[in-house]
Amino acid sequence: MRFIKNTIWKDVFEGWKQREADDSGWINCATNIKGWPNWESWRKFTATQIGLNNLTWQIFKFTDPMKEIPDILIGPYGGWQSRVKNKNQGSFNDLLNNPEQFNFFKKHDKINSMINNFPYPTELIGLIREDSSKIVCIEGHHRATSIAMAKKQKISINFKGDITIALAKLEKDRVNILDKALERGTSKNPK
């Protein structure tokens, strides 16, 4: 990866909003599945829960996305973490090394659509765990999975330009926030 510029959480969140807030699938997830009044309140809860608004943010460009992105760790979300053995430790490569998950995502319409027509421009959001120096995906799981799936199947993706990631450091003494976020979940009223 190569450093591009410094940024602030407000701008990072605005990018997230532009990518998701008008998508009927994400609106349905926020309101009908997670119980929030709208997309923004759901995602702001996630941001506050992990403390994203208090971190120092930078934008980086992936120099080899087919190599770099599959190594990113899956973020602290129950739906994704339920698919890997080691919670908050598994990468997108690890996910697809499980034959059951590989077969599931190989038939996944959204993943296949992204392999065939990767969204551009694209920016992911992640945290650098200071305990392991690994990046955790906060936003961009489907895009990361599509890249890992294409790599595993030896399919090239036309990226149509640069892929960037907004990154902040998660200090060693705060890494446990990922486990707490996973345990709590993102529903408005957890069970």
Side-chain angles (χ1 to χ4, degrees):
M1 282 188 298
R2 186 168 54 81
F3 171 76
I4 302 294
K5 65 179 182 176
N6 292 315
T7 189
I8 58 173
W9 173 248
K10 180 178 171 253
D11 293 343
V12 173
F13 187 80
E14 188 57 36
W16 193 357
K17 186 175 179 179
Q18 287 172 8
R19 289 185 293 276
E20 283 190 4
D22 294 328
D23 182 307
S24 60
W26 288 121
I27 294 167
N28 179 60
C29 185
T31 58
N32 295 326
I33 298 171
K34 299 295 184 175
W36 294 96
N38 53 46
W39 177 91
E40 191 160 343
S41 58
W42 174 46
R43 291 308 201 188
K44 281 190 172 177
F45 172 78
T46 297
T48 302
Q49 184 183 31
I50 302 173
L52 303 177
N53 48 329
N54 299 319
L55 301 175
T56 302
W57 291 90
Q58 297 178 316
I59 304 294
F60 289 81
K61 177 185 122 172
F62 289 104
T63 52
D64 188 354
M66 293 295 283
K67 181 179 184 310
E68 295 163 311
I69 292 174
D71 289 334
I72 291 176
L73 301 179
I74 295 168
Y77 307 112
W80 287 96
Q81 290 294 333
S82 67
R83 298 177 174 281
V84 293
K85 186 177 177 182
N86 298 318
K87 306 305 176 218
N88 286 326
Q89 300 291 325
S91 68
F92 291 95
N93 271 332
D94 296 332
L95 171 72
L96 297 179
N97 283 337
N98 175 328
E100 182 182 341
Q101 298 306 321
F102 175 82
N103 289 328
F104 174 81
F105 284 109
K106 187 176 181 182
K107 299 174 195 157
H108 196 283
D109 290 342
K110 188 170 190 171
I111 299 303
N112 287 311
S113 173
M114 289 181 177
I115 290 171
N116 295 321
N117 188 22
F118 198 79
Y120 180 78
T122 272
E123 183 167 283
L124 309 176
I125 302 173
L127 295 172
I128 303 168
R129 292 179 59 138
E130 287 201 326
D131 63 334
S132 65
S133 299
K134 293 186 178 186
I135 295 173
V136 177
C137 186
I138 297 301
E139 188 264 334
H141 286 72
H142 288 92
R143 286 169 285 157
T145 302
S146 71
I147 292 168
M149 178 59 78
K151 178 183 177 186
K152 194 152 182 66
Q153 296 182 88
K154 298 181 176 37
I155 298 170
S156 63
I157 292 180
N158 177 4
F159 291 115
K160 301 177 204 143
D162 295 337
I163 299 177
T164 57
I165 185 168
L167 284 175
K169 289 185 178 161
L170 185 61
E171 298 88 1
K172 284 181 188 178
D173 62 345
R174 290 195 64 247
V175 167
N176 68 335
I177 197 80
L178 299 173
D179 294 328
K180 289 178 182 176
L182 176 60
E183 184 179 332
R184 163 59 177 81
T186 63
S187 293
K188 184 170 172 60
N189 299 304
K191 293 177 174 120

